[in-house]
Amino acid sequence: MGKGHVVIVSSSDDEDGARSRSAKWCSSKSKSLQSVSHRNSRSSKRARLSGSGSRLFTESRGGEEVSFDALYDDFHEGLQGFTVVSGAENRNTNKLWVDKYRPLSLSELSVHRKKVEVVKMWLEERLRYYTTVRRMPGDKVCNCVLLITGQAGIGKSATIHAIAAHLGARLCEWNTPTPTLWQEYMHNVNSGVRYMSKLDEFESFVERVRKYPLLPLSLTGASEKPVILLIDDLPLMNGRVAYKRLCNCLFVLARSTQIPTVILITEYAKVESGDNTTLDWEELQSSLESAGASKITFNPVTVNSIKKILSRICKEEQCNVTVEQIDQIARSSGGDIRHAITSLQYFCLRPGLMHSFPLSTLSTSHSKEKLEFGPLDDGFSLLRGRDETLSLFHALGKFLHNKREAVEGTGFGQDHFLLKEKLVRLPWKMDAPEKVLSQAHGKARLIADFLHENVLDFISDEAVEDAWAVASYLSDADCLLSTHLSGATSPQVITSKYELENIAQLAAASVAVRGVLFGNSHPSPSRWHSIRSPKLWQVEQSSKRNKTLFARNRFEACSSLNSYTMSVTATELTPALKWVGLKASEGQVTQEFFMSSKMEIDGSDWESSDDLDTEAMGEDDNDEIEEW
Amino acid sequence: MLWVDKYRPKSLDKMLVHEEVAKNLKKLVTEQDCPHLLFYGPSGSGKKTLIMAVLRQMFGAGAEKVKLENKTWKINAGSRTIDLELTMLSSTHHVELNPSDAGFQDRYIVQEIIKEMAKNRPIDTKGKKGYKVLVLNEVDKLSREAQHSLRRTMEKYSASCRLILCCNSSSKVTEAVRSRCLNVRINAPKEDEIISVLEFIGKKEGLQLPPGFAARIAAQSNRSLRRAILSFETCRVQQYPFTNNQVILPMDWEQYISEIASDIMQEQSPKRLFLVRGKLYELLINCIPPVIILKRLLSELLKKLDAELKHEVCHWAAYYEHRMRLGQKAIFHIEAFVAKFMSIYKAFLIATFG
């Protein structure tokens, strides 16, 4: 292994626009040059991972080409394998472990063996087909595209690289060029270089791949090596048009390509991108599949295999991390092995931090429980933990459905207080509410409004006391939320009070959520409830509208030198005017007022708020009037 | 024009109720320099009528030529500027506004607007008063800060500006403000006073009043003269000539609240609570002040309630009324009260009837 020739498709930035226009297959014999240029083209994309450190490494250790060339052969994101590169020496280099312990062979991959096997089979088959049959005229390879999806950091690219190395195939990659800055663009415009959008570049690349599939082979001369095309990073598209173009482009590629092509698509957790990009990706996948691509989904790496790898790294690096700590890191990584390794390195970098954490005082089982039940006070795990995000509605659903364990959990152990029978609640089937809240990024006011609107649906019909408990907690939350109104309101004070207010907000959200969870001790049997958006907002708006209307009419209608206060207008004058205006049209002004107010009220949310009742009321009124 | 406005006495001499107060005020205004005034008393007792009459007494007919202004004030409050829109009625001699309309920003209104107004001192020509009058409504709804700055303004600009404050309850006005004003309490008119006013209007309108009819209206008016006159006019529109057994309709929102009350008494469940919430929303849309809703709802509920529960229910109503003032969104608190009532009432029903 390690002898794979990496062919680089460099479609570079616009600084060297000439190159980008004639981006071509280039490959070089010189290994050191190859790796350096490779790094350069990749580094921008992976700056967050390697940064300048890796480049440093390349330069400082330029002599030992063979050893690190092997590393770079598989320069991709999975990190499952490790090569022993003289541990002590490596400790001092600034290399990130993620790059250092890249998997190089199939055995080092931590992706599930079967998944790897499937991908390998597929590639093998295509390659055999390609190498043997391709020269026969009229023969068509039908299904040459493999689509691999999965969340970030689970070793998609690493798998492909490892397999390619294993099969001795050459990997051609499409690397998305770095975005052009506006200044760069201006600079280039002056120097007469035409701007080319990334999507254009990608399109022309695909075009070339389709038209001249054999070109690289003749160039390199090593014609016996089969080629695998890897499209790792699809260009980012904004808007419908760009998306359509990309879709078409890929579709055509999937249809016509003759080289085995692997397309990697990273699935983001659905909630992370609020917009509809996830939808687009799904659509893209299905369109590719319809073009005959086969799809393989990678699952997140299991905790056990992450643990195995982490402990191996620890051994290599000779840092003593306890089993529990590794366990914690593995758990909090959420199946993202790249993240797990990075946090392990970070963790080992700061031994002081590690010792200050009183982990040793906790028994193993207890610390585990702490993780499950009280992750909030576990600041240590949060330090390295991958923060999961939740959508607001997901969080609301959790609170409203109020799922609890069937039996009293034993997890609380010592901190079990003696509570009155009616105050005891079963433990939650979820994290602490505050944590869920912080994951959902919900504003307290918003949360309270939503809970208020929806909670009654979830309380069983018999339990009015629960309804009261919930309502009373919500009322408490509302009081907390409006503390800034009763306090001093001058802007100077506001800025200094900001912290305080923030705490009030947090407290209010907590009170609202916990109140709902606690109060609803008899949840109605779970069935489908849709979560409504608070009608309160609507009510507030139309109330405001009516208020301005009253204010406007207050003067004209009463036509006196008196301005009535709002409450008087609303409670006494308006109803009276309605009566009077209906029958006696003596005053033109009153009539007008009535008309306009009537219209406004019809147009507003009267009917939507409670259709039947209003109508019934209106009819009553009319009936009684007409009787006389 | 509604009768309430049509038969509003224009001058202090023509007052039908509170003649005594009117007489004193006239003496005060004509004979000496007028101090700041604070009128307080229940709604519909004639505070505003008196204020207008006082203004007329001070400035003559000029005070009646008012125009409505919807002015936007730009207030420079340290780091940012605040735009406040406020409706005000003004003549050449006085300005009337509701500072509490500005909500929690009322202190800016009080500080800036009043300051500016007070600075523009009218020219002291002969026979003219050397000051403007500022009428502030609903002073009791002002926040503490606003009342505090009001006090400063009063001290600083008392030479060029007189304040006439008007509110329902003087207990919500700070001591400092109260002590700087001449406090005038306006009682709610007695029922026979109301009757005499109604009869006066009836005579002017040329209506035949059956005996006891005015008394019935007065009894229903809760001693609010405005209320009485409004329902008098409503009755006139409904049916004339009046009959002795004519129904005097309550206001539609009051009817609606009593509907809500009977809803609550009928069934106590979260579902019913939800229905009640919908109805409460409707009242709020129509700008019925939440405090009034809660008050009315309580009295409707008390009507139908067993005596032993009354105390507890009142306690909770008071509790949530307080909460409502602390909080922002009234519906949360009204609903909490309704839920509490339901829970109390249900427990009571189960205890008594099993």
Side-chain angles (χ1 to χ4, degrees):
Chain A
M1 61 167 258
K3 295 286 177 285
H5 298 248
V6 177
V7 181
I8 294 144
V9 181
S10 79
S11 97
S12 58
D13 311 340
D14 283 307
E15 303 142 38
D16 41 7
R19 231 176 109 202
S20 96
R21 254 179 292 154
S22 63
K24 57 178 143 202
W25 305 81
C26 62
S27 87
S28 82
K29 295 269 178 189
S30 155
K31 278 179 184 170
S32 62
L33 180 63
Q34 178 185 340
S35 58
V36 169
S37 72
H38 176 95
R39 270 255 65 89
N40 286 342
S41 67
R42 297 283 311 165
S43 62
S44 53
K45 185 203 159 197
R46 312 183 58 234
R48 69 205 147 93
L49 281 181
S50 46
S52 60
S54 56
R55 214 170 285 181
L56 236 174
F57 174 70
T58 318
E59 281 151 24
S60 65
R61 306 194 33 167
E64 300 175 53
E65 277 169 12
V66 187
S67 70
F68 72 76
D69 196 35
L71 277 173
Y72 281 131
D73 253 355
D74 285 287
F75 45 78
H76 227 315
E77 341 235 306
L79 329 137
Q80 286 76 3
F82 324 101
T83 36
V84 192
V85 194
S86 54
E89 200 187 317
N90 257 307
R91 270 192 90 117
N92 298 328
T93 63
N94 293 325
K95 186 128 171 72
L96 285 179
W97 293 359
V98 174
D99 298 321
K100 196 159 130 193
Y101 298 106
R102 225 172 259 299
L104 298 177
S105 68
L106 287 185
S107 58
E108 286 171 354
L109 282 173
S110 70
V111 182
H112 197 275
R113 203 159 296 281
K114 270 189 188 148
K115 279 273 155 69
V116 178
E117 202 57 33
V118 171
V119 177
K120 203 181 104 191
M121 291 278 286
W122 189 90
L123 280 174
E124 255 174 355
E125 203 176 293
R126 295 307 119 113
L127 286 178
R128 202 181 313 126
Y129 195 68
Y130 178 66
T131 43
T132 54
V133 190
R134 78 189 147 84
R135 289 176 207 283
M136 294 183 184
D139 209 352
K140 274 214 86 182
V141 186
C142 52
N143 175 11
C144 248
V145 175
L146 178 68
L147 191 65
I148 296 182
T149 63
Q151 70 175 69
I154 57 169
K156 294 184 296 293
S157 338
T159 310
I160 298 302
H161 282 104
I163 291 176
H166 177 80
L167 297 177
R170 194 198 333 234
L171 216 48
C172 300
E173 261 198 274
W174 158 261
N175 293 326
T176 305
T178 48
T180 316
L181 295 177
W182 178 246
Q183 285 93 329
E184 281 173 7
Y185 172 69
M186 291 311 287
H187 181 75
N188 289 341
V189 161
N190 291 339
S191 61
V193 177
R194 196 169 55 89
Y195 173 75
M196 202 173 176
S197 88
K198 307 306 168 212
L199 191 55
D200 288 336
E201 287 183 31
F202 183 71
E203 269 185 333
S204 64
F205 162 75
V206 168
E207 191 76 358
R208 274 196 303 277
V209 170
R210 274 177 45 220
K211 282 185 180 151
Y212 318 108
L214 307 181
L215 197 60
L217 294 176
S218 56
L219 264 177
T220 50
S223 52
E224 294 320 305
K225 286 253 175 193
V227 174
I228 298 173
L229 180 64
L230 175 65
I231 298 176
D232 188 2
D233 201 5
L234 290 176
L236 182 77
M237 67 273 168
N238 282 319
R240 219 50 217 171
V241 184
Y243 170 71
K244 272 269 150 54
R245 271 174 67 195
L246 179 69
C247 236
N248 283 339
C249 180
L250 284 174
F251 187 82
V252 169
L253 177 74
R255 269 293 167 82
S256 58
T257 184
Q258 311 236 329
I259 325 168
T261 307
V262 180
I263 301 175
L264 304 181
I265 293 181
T266 306
E267 279 175 347
Y268 299 99
K270 299 236 157 50
V271 291
E272 259 177 280
S273 46
D275 45 14
N276 49 0
T277 40
T278 46
L279 200 98
D280 289 348
W281 288 117
E282 275 161 20
E283 225 179 296
L284 194 65
Q285 282 176 25
S286 62
S287 101
L288 274 172
E289 275 179 276
S290 72
S294 33
K295 179 185 159 192
I296 295 175
T297 308
F298 277 29
N299 294 328
V301 185
T302 56
V303 175
N304 274 342
S305 46
I306 295 183
K307 257 161 50 180
K308 235 188 318 188
I309 282 152
L310 291 185
S311 42
R312 256 175 72 190
I313 297 183
C314 285
K315 224 179 284 166
E316 308 272 345
E317 294 288 335
Q318 295 160 2
C319 47
N320 43 357
V321 182
T322 61
V323 182
E324 292 97 72
Q325 283 162 345
I326 286 184
D327 187 72
Q328 270 194 343
I329 294 174
R331 270 174 204 288
S332 60
S333 70
D336 182 348
I337 189 145
R338 178 166 41 201
H339 179 266
I341 293 179
T342 316
S343 39
L344 180 73
Q345 186 178 13
Y346 171 70
F347 183 59
C348 291
L349 273 178
R350 302 171 58 184
L353 188 90
M354 178 180 71
H355 294 310
S356 68
F357 182 65
L359 197 73
S360 51
T361 59
L362 304 163
S363 72
T364 318
S365 66
H366 194 85
S367 80
K368 206 166 162 189
E369 251 149 37
K370 250 185 105 69
L371 227 150
E372 271 152 21
F373 291 109
L376 245 205
D377 40 302
D378 200 341
F380 174 70
S381 79
L382 276 185
L383 240 171
R384 292 170 284 94
R386 220 173 114 98
D387 288 336
E388 281 171 43
T389 49
L390 277 176
S391 77
L392 176 67
F393 285 91
H394 191 173
L396 285 172
K398 277 188 174 202
F399 298 141
L400 290 169
H401 281 290
N402 200 3
K403 291 221 174 87
R404 286 169 189 275
E405 309 282 352
V407 285
E408 173 104 13
T410 50
F412 288 107
Q414 313 95 309
D415 39 288
H416 188 88
F417 295 105
L418 249 105
L419 289 174
K420 279 187 194 165
E421 185 66 34
K422 61 172 185 172
L423 297 180
V424 173
R425 301 282 187 273
L426 295 169
W428 299 306
K429 272 188 188 167
M430 61 168 139
D431 292 328
E434 288 79 14
K435 192 183 177 203
V436 177
L437 270 180
S438 73
Q439 284 172 352
H441 301 291
K443 280 262 193 312
R445 180 90 261 173
L446 192 73
I447 295 272
D449 285 355
F450 265 102
L451 288 176
H452 171 253
E453 175 68 34
N454 291 296
V455 73
L456 288 183
D457 290 350
F458 292 84
I459 297 174
S460 97
D461 244 2
E462 295 306 303
V464 199
E465 305 80 44
D466 289 0
W468 167 66
V470 168
S472 123
Y473 281 117
L474 286 176
S475 129
D476 289 347
D478 181 56
C479 288
L480 278 172
L481 277 175
S482 63
T483 40
H484 65 286
L485 292 189
S486 57
T489 38
S490 89
Q492 295 93 339
V493 185
I494 282 178
T495 43
S496 65
K497 266 181 66 179
Y498 179 71
E499 284 292 305
L500 205 70
E501 224 165 85
N502 221 0
I503 290 169
Q505 292 269 325
L506 288 176
S510 179
V511 164
V513 169
R514 281 184 183 267
V516 165
L517 288 170
F518 172 81
N520 188 6
S521 58
H522 307 89
S524 63
S526 66
R527 62 193 148 93
W528 171 250
H529 293 287
S530 60
I531 291 182
R532 293 181 301 267
S533 80
K535 205 163 79 183
L536 183 56
W537 300 344
Q538 222 179 325
V539 169
E540 276 170 352
Q541 267 185 357
S542 41
S543 152
K544 207 184 274 171
R545 204 164 50 217
N546 278 349
K547 223 174 230 175
T548 50
L549 175 81
F550 285 158
R552 199 166 355 112
N553 287 324
R554 188 151 65 178
F555 181 68
E556 298 148 19
C558 306
S559 64
S560 74
L561 25 149
N562 221 327
S563 79
Y564 290 102
T565 56
M566 180 57 64
S567 67
V568 170
T569 320
T571 53
E572 296 183 21
L573 288 178
T574 318
L577 276 173
K578 243 184 251 178
W579 284 109
V580 177
L582 261 181
K583 270 284 173 174
S585 52
E586 27 169 22
Q588 194 59 32
V589 190
T590 32
Q591 184 67 3
E592 270 170 21
F593 167 70
F594 172 73
M595 291 303 286
S596 62
S597 89
K598 176 90 183 162
M599 263 158 52
E600 190 71 17
I601 284 166
D602 281 347
S604 74
D605 299 339
W606 266 88
E607 60 272 83
S608 69
S609 57
D610 216 333
D611 244 338
L612 281 176
D613 284 283
T614 349
E615 265 177 38
M617 252 186 78
E619 269 169 28
D620 278 352
D621 292 353
N622 290 335
D623 284 349
E624 293 205 34
I625 293 155
E626 274 153 25
E627 268 174 38
W628 310 112
Chain B
M1 198 194 266
L2 288 172
W3 290 354
V4 213
D5 298 317
K6 198 167 163 189
Y7 295 105
R8 183 193 298 279
K10 290 270 167 19
S11 72
L12 287 171
D13 302 318
K14 288 183 189 157
M15 288 288 161
L16 290 172
V17 291
H18 305 304
E19 285 112 337
E20 197 71 13
V21 180
K23 221 179 279 170
N24 286 336
L25 279 173
K26 189 178 178 187
K27 227 183 273 174
L28 181 83
V29 172
T30 45
E31 287 175 11
Q32 339 169 1
D33 201 10
C34 178
H36 299 303
L37 292 173
L38 169 65
F39 287 84
Y40 62 99
S43 85
S45 57
K47 297 182 293 294
K48 290 301 278 296
T49 310
L50 276 171
I51 291 173
M52 296 323 291
V54 166
L55 285 174
R56 195 189 149 97
Q57 188 70 45
M58 283 176 178
F59 303 112
E64 283 172 24
K65 284 186 198 125
V66 288
K67 59 179 191 296
L68 187 78
E69 261 183 296
N70 211 348
K71 199 169 171 184
T72 313
W73 296 83
K74 278 203 195 321
I75 292 161
N76 192 9
S79 53
R80 66 212 162 107
T81 49
I82 305 166
D83 282 353
L84 278 179
E85 204 185 289
L86 207 69
T87 328
M88 51 191 206
L89 277 173
S90 57
S91 74
T92 43
H93 303 289
H94 85 285
V95 174
E96 177 179 348
L97 42 86
N98 283 357
S100 58
D101 281 358
F104 66 96
Q105 288 170 322
D106 52 2
R107 65 192 296 269
Y108 300 118
I109 293 283
V110 170
Q111 274 181 342
E112 297 296 323
I113 301 182
I114 298 178
K115 212 188 285 175
E116 190 187 316
M117 219 169 284
K119 271 186 208 158
N120 299 332
R121 184 181 175 150
I123 302 155
D124 196 357
T125 51
K126 210 179 171 209
K128 291 266 170 76
K129 307 277 180 190
Y131 52 78
K132 268 188 146 184
V133 171
L134 195 59
V135 181
L136 299 180
N137 291 321
E138 294 182 305
V139 192
D140 48 352
K141 285 190 186 157
L142 285 179
S143 64
R144 291 274 137 185
E145 293 86 37
Q147 293 197 20
H148 201 74
S149 49
L150 186 63
R151 169 195 150 179
R152 291 254 164 270
T153 328
M154 284 166 104
E155 279 173 355
K156 203 169 171 191
Y157 299 105
S158 66
S160 60
C161 180
R162 292 286 176 282
L163 292 179
I164 297 183
L165 311 177
C166 177
C167 64
N168 283 343
S169 154
S170 70
S171 65
K172 282 172 191 154
V173 181
T174 55
E175 199 73 42
V177 172
R178 263 189 286 162
S179 79
R180 282 168 177 76
C181 297
L182 177 69
N183 293 10
V184 185
R185 174 168 167 85
I186 312 295
N187 293 319
K190 296 192 187 65
E191 272 184 31
D192 42 342
E193 283 176 321
I194 294 180
I195 293 172
S196 69
V197 170
L198 292 181
E199 277 165 354
F200 168 78
I201 293 175
K203 211 165 79 192
K204 285 266 177 173
E205 286 282 317
L207 301 173
Q208 286 289 322
L209 280 176
F213 185 69
R216 279 205 301 140
I217 292 180
Q220 272 214 357
S221 68
N222 201 17
R223 285 179 69 189
S224 158
L225 190 53
R226 172 173 49 233
R227 191 62 193 278
I229 298 175
L230 281 172
S231 52
F232 184 45
E233 192 175 1
T234 314
C235 289
R236 161 74 178 78
V237 172
Q238 275 169 25
Q239 185 190 21
Y240 186 78
F242 299 118
T243 54
N244 230 339
N245 55 353
Q246 186 173 354
V247 215
I248 299 159
L249 284 167
M251 297 290 171
D252 51 0
W253 59 272
E254 288 175 339
Q255 233 168 344
Y256 202 58
I257 289 183
S258 64
E259 251 172 62
I260 294 176
S262 55
D263 279 343
I264 296 173
M265 300 298 275
Q266 257 169 32
E267 187 191 323
Q268 295 85 36
S269 70
K271 214 174 273 166
R272 184 50 64 102
L273 186 58
F274 187 70
L275 190 128
V276 168
R277 180 200 288 174
K279 293 191 172 185
L280 289 174
Y281 274 156
E282 216 167 292
L283 290 170
L284 290 177
I285 287 177
N286 283 280
C287 303
I288 313 286
V291 180
I292 291 179
I293 295 179
L294 188 62
K295 227 189 247 171
R296 184 79 198 178
L297 186 61
L298 176 69
S299 65
E300 289 290 333
L301 287 172
L302 286 180
K303 268 187 218 163
K304 306 171 184 175
L305 209 58
D306 200 278
E308 62 180 288
L309 291 183
K310 281 185 181 173
H311 175 253
E312 198 183 354
V313 170
C314 285
H315 164 77
W316 284 108
Y319 177 80
Y320 284 113
E321 202 255 6
H322 178 62
R323 278 316 179 82
M324 195 149 70
R325 291 190 189 274
L326 291 181
Q328 235 176 335
K329 306 219 168 175
I331 187 72
F332 280 51
H333 310 284
I334 299 180
E335 199 181 304
F337 168 68
V338 172
K340 183 65 191 173
F341 177 83
M342 280 182 170
S343 139
I344 293 173
Y345 191 66
K346 196 181 179 191
F348 169 74
L349 285 183
I350 289 171
T352 27
F353 303 110

